[in-house]
């Protein structure tokens, strides 16, 4: 994967659409760009913040609904502007991800109320829609084309039926029509392909050549490494410290883990839940969380598994994006001195050229012995419980 030199690029990025994968998509997009050395800011969903305080939109009077939407937009603008100002002073490449955008709020108002609100506040729709955000990504609801995956279980404020979700998805999508950089990511592929197409759309907007890493038919290839032959010719890279912990789950077929990842004392935190397969596809939800949530979840760790500590080196070589993971102490017995190289590619066999500055012993793609889940299992745990252990894409 070849990346052009960019001194600074700010992109205000929107996810819209109920149950379309935006929560997992944001976490995956953040990890991908952080691995490239970018600074990523994530503006939270303002409606979720306000409505989680006890507001039920369907119980509001017409006037209350009008004032609520007006104040929601004002709050959204202030929250976004806070992140935009931080981005403008950032000395490195910077990505700002906005969970929903101002035009989403307009979709929940009658046309005449929206026109009145714009006049009352001196708002200009061109500025709010076309000029405020560099790119809009619409993650189409699972209710449209992936109905079996549609659910509102565990969501604090969403209660829509499939038909209601379809209607909201269409209304919200329509609110952004006219934006010069509007990408619709539908459900014509599996969920994994959907996420990869979304990341690819952002990379295309930024002019980043990703090679075949984000191709929907690419797969993870993993290699056992015994050492680095020559650090002096190692390409430009980013180093991170990574900690993984597996959590207790109510079902043997469900897998949950938390990750702490950072450099120079700055950390990001991720919570991943993998549910049982539906139609031969694993359903995985990946969420960015804060340090407080991380500490709370850490209390739920599964003591049948070791904590996993890794030093991760991310680098580009020969148009491919690689992770070099060096397992660190304290670590399980099977991880002593273990170094694994991973990449995603459509290339098969020897068509993939691996870095010549690494001493590679063998390819271990698909070998469950080297899955992180299996490596973390303590000896007294029945290792047959690891059927769903193969790690998913970690972009």
């Amino acid at each position: 994967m070849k990346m052009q030199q960019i001194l600074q690029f700010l992109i205000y990025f929107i996810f819209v659409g109920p149950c379309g994968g935006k929560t997992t998509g944001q976490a995956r997009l953040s990890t991908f760009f952080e691995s490239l050395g970018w600074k990523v800011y994530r503006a939270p969903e303002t409606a979720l913040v306000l409505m989680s305080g006890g507001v039920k939109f369907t119980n509001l009077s017409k006037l209350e609904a009008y004032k609520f939407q007006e104040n929601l937009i004002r709050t959204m603008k202030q929250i976004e502007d806070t992140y935009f100002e931080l981005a403008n002073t950032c000395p490195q490449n910077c990505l700002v991800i906005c969970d929903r955008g101002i035009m989403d709020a307009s979709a929940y108002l009658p046309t005449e109320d929206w026109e009145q609100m714009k006049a009352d506040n001196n708002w200009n729709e061109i500025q709010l829609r076309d000029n405020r955000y560099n790119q809009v990504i619409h993650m189409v609801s699972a209710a449209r084309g992936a109905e079996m995956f549609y659910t509102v279980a565990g969501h604090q404020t969403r209660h829509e039926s499939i038909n209601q979700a379809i209607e909201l998805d269409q209304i919200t999508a329509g609110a952004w029509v006219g934006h010069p950089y509007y990408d619709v990511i539908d459900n014509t592929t599996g969920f994994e392909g959907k996420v990869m197409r979304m990341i690819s759309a952002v990379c295309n907007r930024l002019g980043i050549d990703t090679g075949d890493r984000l191709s929907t038919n690419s797969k993870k290839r993993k290699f056992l490494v015994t050492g680095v032959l020559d650090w002096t010719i190692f390409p430009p890279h980013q180093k991170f410290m990574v900690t993984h912990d597996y959590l207790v789950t109510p079902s043997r077929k469900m897998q949950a883990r938390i990750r702490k990842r950072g450099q120079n004392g700055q950390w990001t935190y991720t919570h991943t839940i993998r549910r049982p397969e539906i139609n031969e596809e694993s359903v995985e939800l990946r969420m960015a969380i804060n340090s407080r949530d991380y500490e709370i979840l850490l209390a739920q760790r599964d003591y049948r598994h070791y904590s996993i500590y890794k030093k991760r080196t991310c680098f580009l070589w020969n148009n491919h994006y690689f992770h070099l993971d060096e397992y660190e102490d304290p670590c399980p017995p099977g991880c002593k001195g273990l170094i694994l190289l991973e990449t995603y590619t459509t290339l098969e066999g020897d068509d993939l050229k691996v870095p010549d500055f690494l001493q590679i012993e063998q390819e271990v793609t698909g070998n469950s012995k080297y899955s992180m889940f299996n490596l973390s299992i303590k000896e007294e745990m029945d290792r047959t419980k690891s059927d769903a252990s193969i790690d998913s894409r970690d972009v």
Side-chain angles (χ1 to χ4, degrees):
M1 176 169 58
K2 184 178 180 181
M3 177 178 170
Q4 66 186 55
Q5 292 298 315
I6 306 174
L7 296 179
Q8 183 179 45
F9 194 101
L10 311 178
I11 176 167
Y12 309 138
F13 182 81
I14 317 286
F15 284 87
V16 295
C19 192
K22 67 186 180 71
T23 301
T24 298
Q26 288 178 75
R28 297 277 290 273
L29 186 70
S30 297
T31 300
F32 183 86
F33 277 86
E34 286 169 349
S35 295
L36 295 179
W38 286 51
K39 175 63 182 176
V40 179
Y41 290 114
R42 295 175 291 274
E45 182 179 354
T46 307
L48 177 60
V49 173
L50 297 182
M51 295 183 74
S52 63
V55 177
K56 190 171 183 180
F57 199 78
T58 54
N59 291 341
L60 300 180
S61 68
K62 190 175 190 303
L63 178 60
E64 287 174 331
Y66 181 96
K67 298 305 294 184
F68 178 81
Q69 289 296 89
E70 186 177 44
N71 283 307
L72 186 152
I73 292 174
R74 290 172 178 170
T75 304
M76 184 183 296
K77 283 170 60 66
Q78 184 58 59
I79 290 174
E80 289 178 353
D81 287 344
T82 299
Y83 288 96
F84 295 173
E85 287 186 16
L86 286 171
N88 276 307
T89 59
C90 184
Q92 64 193 102
N93 291 330
C94 186
L95 180 73
V96 180
I97 302 172
C98 299
D99 190 334
R100 311 295 289 262
I102 290 172
M103 295 305 296
D104 281 24
S106 73
Y108 292 82
L109 289 166
T111 301
E112 60 273 15
D113 286 354
W114 174 233
E115 294 300 325
Q116 183 63 51
M117 191 178 294
K118 287 190 294 181
D120 290 345
N121 293 275
N122 195 29
W123 290 337
N124 181 304
E125 195 157 312
I126 297 299
Q127 291 297 323
L128 295 180
R129 185 195 63 213
D130 298 348
N131 294 338
R132 186 172 179 84
Y133 310 100
N134 293 107
Q135 184 176 17
V136 174
I137 296 288
H138 178 71
M139 301 286 280
V140 174
S141 173
R144 299 172 63 187
E147 293 83 357
M148 68 187 69
F149 296 104
Y150 179 78
T151 178
V152 294
H155 200 287
Q156 297 180 44
T157 60
R158 303 222 78 100
H159 313 285
E160 298 90 359
S161 66
I162 284 185
N163 289 338
Q164 290 171 327
I166 292 173
E167 182 180 1
L168 283 175
D169 189 78
Q170 292 171 330
I171 292 172
T172 308
W176 292 98
V177 171
H179 192 281
Y181 299 101
Y182 186 12
D183 292 278
V184 177
I185 311 298
D186 61 19
N187 296 300
T188 53
T189 62
F191 182 72
E192 186 60 34
K194 183 178 183 180
V195 172
M196 300 303 276
R197 285 186 290 130
M198 176 273 296
I199 299 175
S200 181
V202 179
C203 290
N204 289 340
R205 173 75 177 102
L206 291 170
I208 297 175
D209 180 7
T210 61
D212 66 354
R213 169 164 172 77
L214 300 178
S215 173
T216 56
N217 64 335
S218 68
K219 66 178 182 179
K220 178 190 284 187
R221 294 186 62 180
K222 186 182 295 188
F223 301 85
L224 182 63
V225 178
T226 55
V228 178
L229 294 174
D230 191 348
W231 277 104
T232 63
I233 61 173
F234 207 96
H237 56 274
Q238 294 284 333
K239 286 185 177 291
F240 300 88
M241 297 307 300
V242 184
T243 303
H244 289 272
D245 280 284
Y246 286 90
L247 308 180
V248 174
T249 60
S251 168
R252 287 172 53 180
K253 294 183 179 181
M254 181 182 292
Q255 185 186 117
R257 65 180 184 270
I258 51 176
R259 185 185 71 180
K260 176 182 177 182
R261 177 181 183 274
Q263 57 183 186
N264 303 321
Q266 302 296 314
W267 301 93
T268 58
Y269 306 90
T270 306
H271 179 207
T272 300
I273 301 173
R274 183 184 297 168
R275 299 189 177 117
E277 288 189 355
I278 300 178
N279 281 8
E280 300 182 352
E281 181 177 355
S282 293
V283 179
E284 186 171 278
L285 175 65
R286 186 178 301 192
M287 299 159 284
I289 58 176
N290 58 34
S291 58
R292 182 174 178 274
D293 291 336
Y294 175 82
E295 292 299 329
I296 292 173
L297 288 169
L298 192 59
Q300 303 173 28
R301 62 185 164 190
D302 189 340
Y303 286 98
R304 297 173 299 173
H305 292 256
Y306 292 100
S307 296
I308 296 290
Y309 301 92
K310 295 189 285 189
K311 179 168 65 179
R312 168 165 289 181
T313 304
C314 303
F315 63 96
L316 302 171
W317 186 80
N318 199 25
N319 291 331
H320 282 82
Y321 181 57
F322 290 92
H323 291 165
L324 183 69
D325 285 341
E326 301 173 73
Y327 285 75
E328 303 265 289
D329 287 327
C331 65
C335 295
K336 293 288 184 182
L338 181 64
I339 306 175
L340 293 173
L341 178 73
E342 297 178 1
T343 189
Y344 287 91
T345 181
T346 58
L347 297 178
E348 302 282 349
D350 294 337
D351 290 340
L352 174 67
K353 303 303 180 185
V354 293
D356 54 11
F357 45 84
L358 298 177
Q359 187 172 342
I360 295 176
E361 182 173 316
Q362 61 177 313
E363 181 169 0
V364 293
T365 300
N367 187 337
S368 61
K369 174 183 176 181
Y370 294 100
S371 76
M372 188 174 64
F373 184 90
N374 280 347
L375 288 168
S376 72
I377 297 174
K378 293 183 178 178
E379 290 300 322
E380 61 270 21
M381 180 181 176
D382 182 1
R383 302 186 77 88
T384 63
K385 296 179 181 180
S386 57
D387 294 339
S389 64
I390 301 301
D391 293 331
S392 64
R393 296 174 183 266
D394 189 15
V395 299

